[in-house]
């Protein structure tokens, strides 16, 4: 069974500051993928960033980057230069190609960016 | 996302009535999923499909059934709705795990 743990139910950050959201996971698969999804108040689920487990290099997408520590099974998300539009629920997600592409979601971290 | 639509967007129904939610995709993706989202639980998998007429249960499948008679449509049915099934339901599609999922806009279902 796969599990994803997000230990921070809520976080807040000032506009233009940097914030890091934590995530740990567990899986017996050797070929897996990790994602961060964002859900703003509109309810739409938006893919923020993805990481393939076999790649050692940490993924980066503009202001969003991850710190992938495979041995520790840790996958944190760093948001730089936080903007008001970053206010959302953030989900850490684990998937593997060998399980009909099923994704396992963490319970989410509600991030509020304050002006 | 334009490639996947859910209907209805909102629904209020009474306990004991049957309810069907529809997911329609225009992407010709093989995999389709139904999740429910509840506060404190994240998204939990109800059922999924890996092809026409090929479906399987997820972690919270009790009280739900699904059907997929065409590639583009995946139906979720609550045979006899209960208050515990009040939730937001998301449909998702995928064709490559590397791309993750594309989600529908969700259906907010209230069972009174």
């Amino acid at each position: 069974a796969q599990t994803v743990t997000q230990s921070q139910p809520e976080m807040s950050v000032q506009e233009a500051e940097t914030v890091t959201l934590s995530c740990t996971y567990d899986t017996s698969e050797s070929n897996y993928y990790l994602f961060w999804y964002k859900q703003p108040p509109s309810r739409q689920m938006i893919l923020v960033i993805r990481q393939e487990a076999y790649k050692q290099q940490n993924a980066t997408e503009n202001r969003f980057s991850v710190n992938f520590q495979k041995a520790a099974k840790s996958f944190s998300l760093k948001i730089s230069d936080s903007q008001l539009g970053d206010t959302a629920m953030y989900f850490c997600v684990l998937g593997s190609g060998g399980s009909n592409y099923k994704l396992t979601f963490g319970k989410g971290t509600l991030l509020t960016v304050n002006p | 996302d334009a490639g996947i639509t859910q209907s209805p967007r909102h629904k209020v129904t009474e306990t004991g009535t049957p309810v069907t939610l529809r997911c329609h995709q225009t992407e010709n993706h093989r995999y389709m999923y139904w999740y429910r989202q509840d506060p404190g639980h994240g998204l939990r998998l109800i059922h999924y499909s890996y092809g026409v007429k090929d479906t399987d249960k997820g972690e919270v499948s009790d009280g739900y059934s699904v059907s997929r008679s065409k590639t583009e449509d995946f139906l979720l049915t609550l045979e006899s709705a209960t208050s515990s099934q009040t939730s937001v339901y998301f449909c998702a599609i995928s064709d490559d795990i590397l791309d993750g999922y594309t989600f529908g806009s969700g259906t907010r279902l209230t069972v009174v």
Side-chain angles (χ1 to χ4, degrees):
Chain A
Q2 300 183 143
T3 61
V4 177
T5 302
Q6 294 179 249
S7 59
Q8 305 150 313
E10 295 187 36
M11 296 186 71
S12 63
V13 64
Q14 294 299 121
E15 197 173 7
E17 299 286 303
T18 295
V19 64
T20 299
L21 281 58
S22 301
C23 173
T24 58
Y25 63 93
D26 193 23
T27 180
S28 59
E29 301 281 342
S30 57
N31 177 28
Y32 59 91
Y33 303 81
L34 292 157
F35 309 87
W36 280 96
Y37 275 85
K38 164 186 176 180
Q39 186 181 39
S42 67
R43 201 167 77 193
Q44 187 65 44
M45 295 288 289
I46 302 166
L47 178 61
V48 174
I49 198 166
R50 76 196 82 194
Q51 174 80 43
E52 296 151 78
Y54 64 86
K55 288 188 175 179
Q56 293 185 347
Q57 186 173 4
N58 289 322
T60 299
E61 288 287 342
N62 300 314
R63 298 183 294 107
F64 298 88
S65 62
V66 298
N67 183 4
F68 175 46
Q69 301 290 325
K70 190 172 184 177
K73 294 185 176 177
S74 171
F75 183 61
S76 61
L77 174 69
K78 185 172 79 171
I79 305 174
S80 303
D81 186 25
S82 297
Q83 301 174 1
L84 297 178
D86 294 333
T87 292
M89 182 72 82
Y90 287 82
F91 292 100
C92 180
V93 184
L94 168 67
S96 63
S99 62
N100 284 318
Y101 299 179
K102 290 183 288 183
L103 297 183
T104 300
F105 287 75
K107 294 183 179 182
T109 296
L110 179 60
L111 176 67
T112 301
V113 180
N114 298 308
Chain B
D1 199 284
I4 177 172
T5 56
Q6 289 184 234
S7 58
R9 183 128 169 99
H10 303 275
K11 186 172 182 64
V12 179
T13 192
E14 293 186 349
T15 299
T17 60
V19 178
T20 296
L21 307 182
R22 181 180 184 236
C23 179
H24 178 77
Q25 61 148 329
T26 58
E27 304 295 324
N28 200 36
H29 284 178
R30 176 183 178 188
Y31 297 95
M32 299 185 75
Y33 308 85
W34 278 107
Y35 282 81
R36 61 177 289 174
Q37 181 178 20
D38 304 290
H41 290 277
L43 274 73
R44 293 179 292 174
L45 181 63
I46 305 171
H47 282 280
Y48 66 98
S49 170
Y50 47 94
V52 174
K53 291 185 168 44
D54 292 324
T55 64
D56 205 349
K57 297 178 179 180
E59 61 179 306
V60 291
S61 60
D62 287 349
Y64 302 95
S65 63
V66 290
S67 66
R68 192 171 178 197
S69 59
K70 298 184 290 185
T71 298
E72 56 266 36
D73 289 325
F74 192 34
L75 304 180
L76 176 70
T77 297
L78 290 65
E79 301 292 345
S80 177
T82 68
S83 59
S84 65
Q85 293 176 311
T86 291
S87 186
V88 178
Y89 291 85
F90 283 96
C91 178
I93 60 175
S94 180
D95 215 34
D96 185 341
I97 185 63
L98 180 59
D99 296 328
Y101 289 174
T102 300
F103 283 87
S105 299
T107 295
R108 180 175 294 279
L109 177 68
T110 303
V111 183
V112 297

